[in-house]
Amino acid sequence: KNEVEQSPQNLTAQEGEFITINCSYSVGISALHWLQQHPGGGIVSLFMLSSGKKKHGRLIATINIQEKHSSLHITASHPRDSAVYICAVGPSMDTDKLIFGTGTRLQVFP
Amino acid sequence: DSGVTQTPKHLITATGQRVTLRCSPRSGDLSVYWYQQSLDQGLQFLIQYYNGEERAKGNILERFSAQQFPDLHSELNLSSLELGDSALYFCASSPRTPSSYNEQFFGPGTRLTVL
């Protein structure tokens, strides 16, 4: 079993829909990261969180440390949101080593 | 633009060869990480350097080595290349002291194809 599991693996949506991507992890962590990888391959860090909730524009990330679960929400989805979203956890406070989920491929159609 | 640069963008080589991938971190960032992304394995952490010293090691093969130079740029050396080494290799950097609380900034990647 992977230490970081994401669901769903693939997701299609119509423009304007509310999107939720889930991440569950089995290791103790000090921080969780959400990354976005565009079709061209580039990776962008969206959020880093260790508790609670963060919001940036139409993106919201939440984490429940007790349940070892995080969600990434996209409100009013747009075709430009089409990308692979990757959850990664930092298992230790004294290293930035990350353990990655397998990613969720999102396609938003107009 | 994350501020992290990687060269080259694409590299095509043959089995058994040796290549060097280069990464320049964001100005002021002391930590550099190398990741490998292959089709069947996803993203995997290879190695981290902090201010010139190796800080953490992941699933890095013995045929691979890395170093961080005094100007903080880093190189990843891959030798005796095999077909399975074909992948995207990302470099990332982060500031301050090593900590999971640091956001990481990713370079554009180097796509290595081994024929």
Side-chain angles (χ1 to χ4, degrees), chain A:
Chain A
K1 187 172 166 25
N2 293 333
E3 292 169 297
V4 182
E5 298 271 0
Q6 283 186 240
S7 63
Q9 281 189 312
N10 295 284
L11 188 53
T12 57
Q14 288 295 124
E15 183 172 357
E17 286 185 5
F18 182 84
I19 305 289
T20 296
I21 299 170
N22 296 300
C23 175
S24 295
Y25 52 91
S26 57
V27 296
I29 70 164
S30 54
L32 183 142
H33 301 246
W34 281 103
L35 310 171
Q36 179 192 53
Q37 186 169 27
H38 288 282
I43 295 176
V44 174
S45 175
L46 297 175
F47 294 103
M48 182 191 60
L49 62 166
S50 54
S51 65
K53 176 178 171 178
K54 285 191 176 180
K55 184 175 191 290
H56 185 257
R58 295 180 294 105
L59 302 178
I60 303 166
T62 64
I63 188 168
N64 185 317
I65 297 291
Q66 288 73 30
E67 294 187 3
K68 296 189 173 180
H69 181 269
S70 176
S71 293
L72 176 68
H73 305 286
I74 305 175
T75 62
S77 60
H78 190 275
R80 65 174 174 266
D81 296 325
S82 298
V84 175
Y85 292 84
I86 302 168
C87 168
V89 301
S92 167
M93 285 188 63
D94 63 357
T95 174
D96 294 350
K97 172 183 173 177
L98 296 179
I99 304 172
F100 296 88
T102 52
T104 294
R105 184 174 300 275
L106 170 66
Q107 285 187 293
V108 182
F109 294 99

Side-chain angles (χ1 to χ4, degrees), chain A residues 30-31 33 35 37 40-46 48 50 86 90-98 100-101, chain B residues 31 33 35 37 43-45 48 55-58 88 90 94 98-104 106-108 111:
Chain A
S30 54
H33 301 246
L35 310 171
Q37 186 169 27
I43 295 176
V44 174
S45 175
L46 297 175
M48 182 191 60
S50 54
I86 302 168
S92 167
M93 285 188 63
D94 63 357
T95 174
D96 294 350
K97 172 183 173 177
L98 296 179
F100 296 88
Chain B
S31 271
Y33 321 82
Y35 298 99
Q37 186 178 39
L43 266 166
Q44 293 210 17
F45 168 75
Q48 175 196 2
R55 182 74 185 185
K57 224 169 183 175
L88 260 173
F90 288 100
S94 72
S99 165
S100 283
Y101 294 106
N102 282 331
E103 182 179 3
Q104 296 188 21
F106 285 78
R111 185 174 296 278

Side-chain angles (χ1 to χ4, degrees), chain B residues 11-108:
Chain B
L11 197 48
I12 301 174
T13 188
T15 55
Q17 294 298 304
R18 173 190 168 93
V19 297
T20 297
L21 312 184
R22 183 188 168 102
C23 168
S24 292
R26 291 188 326 156
S27 176
D29 283 0
L30 299 178
S31 271
V32 168
Y33 321 82
W34 286 98
Y35 298 99
Q36 179 193 57
Q37 186 178 39
S38 56
L39 278 175
D40 56 344
Q41 298 257 1
L43 266 166
Q44 293 210 17
F45 168 75
L46 294 178
I47 197 163
Q48 175 196 2
Y49 279 84
Y50 175 75
N51 203 19
E53 302 281 329
E54 182 184 301
R55 182 74 185 185
K57 224 169 183 175
N59 302 323
I60 187 166
L61 300 171
E62 284 193 15
R63 300 183 286 108
F64 296 1
S65 65
Q67 54 184 325
Q68 186 179 27
F69 295 87
D71 67 352
L72 300 177
H73 91 272
S74 178
E75 291 181 355
L76 178 67
N77 301 295
L78 315 177
S79 61
S80 303
L81 284 167
E82 302 175 359
L83 295 177
D85 297 328
S86 296
L88 260 173
Y89 291 85
F90 288 100
C91 163
S93 74
S94 72
R96 305 191 301 274
T97 55
S99 165
S100 283
Y101 294 106
N102 282 331
E103 182 179 3
Q104 296 188 21
F105 298 86
F106 285 78

